[in-house]
Structure formats: structure tokens, C-alpha cells
Amino acid sequence: MLPAALAAAAVLATGACSGDGATASPSGTWHSLVPLPAEVAYRGAGFTIGRDTAIAAPPEAGRAAGHLAAAVRRATGWTPRIGGEGEIRLELTGERPGASGGAGSSADGPIVGDPGAEAYELTVDRDGARVRAGTPVGLFRGVQTLAQLLPRRGATLPGVRIADRPRFAWRGAMLDVARHFFTVEEVERYVDLLAAYKINVLHLHLSDDQGWRLAVAGRPELTAVGGATEVGGGPGGSYTEQDYRRIVAHARERYVEIVPEIEMPGHTNAALAADPALSCDGRRRRPYTGIDVGFSALCVGRPAVDRFLADVIATMARLTPGPYLHIGGDEVETLTQEQYNDLIERAQELVGAAGKRMVGWQEVGGARLAPGSVSQYWQTGRTPDDVHRAVRRGAKLIMSPASRVYLDMKYDEETRLGLEWAGLIEIEDAYGWDPAELVDGVGDDRVLGVEAPLWTETAETMDDLEYLAFPRLPAVAEVAWTPQEARDFGDFAARLAGHGPRWSELGVDFHRSPAVTWPN
Ligand code: TNX
């Protein structure tokens, strides 16, 4: 593994030179673009970046220009100047498709909004390269594509015309920092890897039975006691407000939205160990470092629990600029449905009052969801009623079918890490499904997007995270980005091969899925 600082500068660039293992793919192209753009046509002469090549970009495109300059430096060894005239041009068109449609806003517009806001066009011909978009975020996505067109070592871009936009607004990854704790630097490195594949949400699972990871003002015991444990008995850890803000800033810099999750009412043993007033019997729970689920719950209706909800949700809302807060809601076995619904509805109200939208695991569909709330589908097999109820109430769905996208499942029987309750997941499985075919009556218009959770009962190190996420995470990124009719597994596998050497160079530990012919 490389130091995080090195990775922080990294925009994965997977070029088209044959030495990288990029081969003619069934679609007749020879690139390694992942996710595949909506429209791509290779034609005519390309452009060779020279020592004098400059990047012209408007001030709003500063982040995109900076990332592009870093990618050029890695490929060529020299750093292009930014500003003035340039052969590589980033242009804002001024048309802002979708600028009105998204939730939340910032100077740049929402990161998770109308997919049209992330659209861009990219052309390379003998005179230079140009990325055009209606928004700075669209330019940033286009720059990720341009970076992938650069060879690993070299300066020549292929002649190409690309018109691209994502299929889904929410293209997420979830990282469980509760079962095992990961440092700010490790989370930042994960963000860097996500951004290269146009993933725009990092959902942080910040609390569970085994650990509480976010400082809450006025409640130091949550991190002091609840933060000091993890699966297997290690030391755990937690984020100060400043740590969390650093993660948010690092992610925003790469147009990745942080969605924080504090679990309730279940998965709360760490909180119950920190504060006995949250239990019905008023007794302090013992810390828990095993991997069972379902046994813990807040005492619904207790004033102390209401105050706790208010403090926790206010803290998440205050520290998080993005519009979504996740309140967990899964796997509660010790409450009645009424108690469960009551707590979810209270939480939903607090989230709404803070100006945010609630996201919850699919069980929250048992409660009366507000139309702007979001349900995260995760179970395989029969679609439970709670998903249909959520949809009838107007909620949108995030698709995280466990048997496809749970990155903590083993690849095969020999995988040294991971669980297997949802099955073994090879890259074909992670790739070969359609989010619009999962739930009867739920097509593209009700699907907000796709998310790949990485639970960490068995993952302790950055290498472990990388090994489980690569190459399945890029497969899920393509499921979420690329039009269904343009996707083909054989073609994907051929394109993916060229990414292996880049990962190796970055020190990213990855699984050599047998369906891919990895170079060297
Ligand atoms: C199910 S899916 C869980 C997590 C576990 C995971 C392990 C869901 C919402 N809950 O608590 O970590 O399985 O694969």
C-alpha cells in the first residue's frame, strides 16, 4: 500500500497503449474506459501532449483542472500550466441541465441530483482535447474519462468523440468503519479510488454494536466508551468533528457526497454500553466485539432516547453539507412493529426539520415514509412488503442487492476474507444485473441509484478493503453509470484488464478475477 498522500494525488489513468493490456474489445474499440461512456466513437488522429501544452479552464473548473494536471504529470512526468489559452480546454457551456432538479445545493450545484447535471462531451483530435459540460461537476466527470484515455506512461491521447451522462443520480459505495475502524487517511484513499470510477456517494456506516465512530457534542461517552472497541477486540477509534469535516472536504474536492449513517434503533450496543439511560432497564450494556446482529435496541419512547436522537441527528446535519442523512433501521429483532415505526417516524421528523432527507435500510418501509425519503434495498430473493410500501408512499430506492453488490462476500471458496451468507460473488455476478429489473413495478424512474456496501466484520486493513472492492467496485460503478443496452460483460472484462497495472502501481491490492485476462 502506498502512503495516502501519494494516493490523494492520484486520478487513476488507464491508457490505451497496448502494453497496458487494453485490447480490441467486442465493441471494436481498444480503450480501457470504465465505466463505459454512453456514446464513444474512436476516430481520426489523436493528440500528443507536449511540454508546452496548457490547460485552459474557467475559475469554476479549478478542481477538474487540478486533477487533470496531476494525471498528465503521472503519465508524462511534466506538469501542464493551467490558465489562459490551452490545447486542452475545459469549457462550461452555461446550459445547466438539471440544475433545478437536485436535492440540496452548493455553489457547484448538487453532487447527487439530476443525472443530466453530470453530463459532458469530450473530443480529442489532432489539435487538442476539449471537455464541455453545463456544470463544474460534469467537467470533473469528463476529466476522469480523459485521465483514463492517457496511457500509463506516455503523452498520446487517441482521437475520440464521447457524449456521456450517468444512468443513475446515486452511484454509491458504503464503508463500515464501525466493525473495524479506518483512519481519516484510509477513508480519503478510498474516496480517491471511488472518484476515478465516477462514484459520487460515500456512505459512512458510523455506528454499530461494535463501535461508535463520530463525536457528538455534549456526549463524550459515546466515543470514549463506544468508540474504544471493534470486532475481535482491537482498539477501535473515532472521528472528531474536525476529522469528519476533513473527510467531507476531501470528498467534495472530488465531487463525492458523504452520507453519514448512525444506526437506530437496532445495531446500537456501543451506544448502550456508553449510556445506560438509552436502555429500558437503565443498565449499561457490556461492549460487544462479536459479529452477531439483531440483538440490541434503543428503548423507544424514553425521553432520554428522544434527546439522544435529537442530539445525534443535529450533529450529523450540522457537520454534513450534503442533503442526505442515513438512520440505519435494519435488523431489529427485539421491538414490536409499532415501536419500530414510532422510532423511525420520530427520526424522519428530526431529519426533515434539519432540512435533510432521510435514507434508511429497506425495513424503514414498514413505517410511514415521507415522499422525499429513500429506502435502501438489500435483501435478495422475494421482495418484502416493506419495499413495495415505501414505493407506494413515493420513496425512491437505492439498489444494494446483497447477492450482487455486497463487497464483503467472498469471491470464491478460497477467498481469505469475507462472509458468504449472501453467496459467493465473482465479478460476473457483480456486473450482470439490471437495477430496473429487481423489484416488480420499479423501473428507472423510481430507482435513485445503486450502492455497493463494504461491511468490515472480516476486513481490518486498507489492503483488505481494496482486495474486496477491486475489481467488483468498478463493475458496480458501470452498472450505475452506463446505459443497460450498452453493457456487455465480455466487453467490460476486456476494458477492465488495463486497470490492473494501474492498481498495482498505486499499491491497490486486488483480486485477479479469472474471467479477466490480466496483463503480465
Ligand atoms: C447485513 S444488510 C447487515 C450488516 C452486516 C452484513 C454482513 C444490512 C442492512 N445489515 O449488519 O454487517 O449483513 O454481510
Side-chain angles (χ1 to χ4, degrees), residues 179 267 330-331 361 378 406 408-409 419 421 455 457:
R179 269 52 176 271
H267 290 270
D330 62 313
E331 298 178 320
W361 296 105
W378 62 276
Y406 268 32
D408 62 315
M409 294 300 123
L419 304 174
W421 67 264
W455 303 100
E457 285 93 336

Side-chain angles (χ1 to χ4, degrees), residues 420-431:
E420 40 186 310
W421 67 264
L424 301 171
I425 305 182
E426 249 305 343
I427 189 164
E428 299 89 319
D429 310 305
Y431 189 85

